[in-house]
Amino acid sequence: GEDVEQSLFLSVREGDSSVINCTYTDSSSTYLYWYKQEPGAGLQLLTYIFSNMDMKQDQRLTVLLNKKDKHLSLRIADTQTGDSAIYFCAGWYSSASKIIFGSGTRLSIRP
Amino acid sequence: EAQVTQNPRYLITVTGKKLTVTCSQNMNHEYMSWYRQDPGLGLRQIYYSMNVEVTDKGDVPEGYKVSRKEKRNFPLILESPSPNQTSLYFCASSSTSGGGRNEQFFGPGTRLTVL
């Protein structure tokens, strides 16, 4: 069945780059997403990538997609305290007509 | 302002006492969905609705009911809550079934504790 996996925690120093990784099992996913959840709030779409793309850049965010290895990553350059949140990887599976979410990676920032 | 609202935001109840969590969106979205979020498990879909009077089970529907009588509202009903339904619940909506570039808009969440 479909599955999306992420590590649960990541700690980085302020100003460094953060890289959050995600693997998925179903190659039929057409869109892959990164959602951000700040404390006490719902999820907000951060960025997405279509499955025929390898990379997408949006200001401090870079999304890399390796379709062969079914691996997705989110790089946040110059990480700031405001980036502290839980980041969810998600994939749209047309075969099931639904979005599958990973377990979320909690990003914490050290001074 | 485009938004998804949920009420209540926090609820503590006892086993077996029926409750309803309301969800409303003002974006004229066809698709609405309920998720529960538990530590280490991410978001799991409970029920979803493609449009008015069209609902279907998600991955963890046991113990829950929903209805979609109006496009804007999608209440979640727990007929007889049990402690294993203690969780953080999110309602979400999107203009289609959520695929493609269409963004799912999430409510602020309802933290439910069942004693």
Side-chain angles (χ1 to χ4, degrees), chain B residues 21-107:
Chain B
V21 184
T22 64
C23 173
S24 183
Q25 50 92 5
N26 63 1
M27 295 168 279
N28 202 36
H29 285 164
E30 291 85 16
Y31 184 87
M32 297 185 74
S33 182
W34 276 103
Y35 296 90
R36 59 178 289 174
Q37 182 182 10
D38 302 290
L41 296 177
L43 270 73
R44 294 179 292 169
Q45 191 179 52
I46 303 171
Y47 268 95
Y48 66 95
S49 170
M50 302 285 277
N51 214 322
V52 175
E53 302 290 2
V54 181
T55 63
D56 211 344
K57 295 178 180 178
D59 299 314
V60 288
E62 293 77 21
Y64 304 94
K65 284 174 58 177
V66 292
S67 70
R68 187 90 182 272
K69 293 184 170 53
E70 305 164 282
K71 200 171 188 179
R72 64 183 294 126
N73 296 323
F74 190 45
L76 179 70
I77 303 153
L78 283 72
E79 294 271 4
S80 182
S82 61
N84 65 10
Q85 291 178 298
T86 292
S87 188
L88 180 58
Y89 292 87
F90 287 101
C91 180
S93 74
S94 62
S95 59
T96 65
S97 55
R101 294 180 296 174
N102 290 308
E103 176 180 355
Q104 284 209 48
F105 290 83
F106 282 81

Side-chain angles (χ1 to χ4, degrees), chain A residues 8 30-31 33 35 37 40-45 48 86 88 92 96-104, chain B residues 9 31 35 37 40-43 45 59 88 90 97-109:
Chain A
L8 292 181
T30 51
Y31 282 89
Y33 312 87
Y35 278 82
Q37 182 183 29
L43 282 70
Q44 283 189 303
L45 182 65
Y48 67 91
I86 301 176
F88 289 90
W92 166 251
S97 295
K98 65 179 181 181
I99 293 179
I100 306 287
F101 287 88
S103 55
Chain B
R9 293 289 313 276
Y31 184 87
Y35 296 90
Q37 182 182 10
L41 296 177
L43 270 73
Q45 191 179 52
D59 299 314
L88 180 58
F90 287 101
S97 55
R101 294 180 296 174
N102 290 308
E103 176 180 355
Q104 284 209 48
F105 290 83
F106 282 81

Side-chain angles (χ1 to χ4, degrees), chain A residues 33-83:
Chain A
Y33 312 87
W34 284 103
Y35 278 82
K36 179 182 181 182
Q37 182 183 29
E38 296 186 354
L43 282 70
Q44 283 189 303
L45 182 65
L46 200 57
T47 187
Y48 67 91
I49 188 167
F50 187 50
S51 60
N52 69 352
M53 298 168 64
D54 296 323
M55 185 183 87
K56 180 179 180 181
Q57 188 150 4
D58 184 2
Q59 299 183 333
R60 292 191 297 123
L61 306 178
T62 303
V63 179
L64 294 176
L65 176 61
N66 182 328
K67 289 183 287 295
K68 175 175 169 290
D69 294 337
K70 298 178 189 170
H71 182 267
L72 182 74
S73 68
L74 173 68
R75 179 177 180 270
I76 305 173
D78 187 26
T79 308
Q80 304 298 309
T81 54
D83 296 322

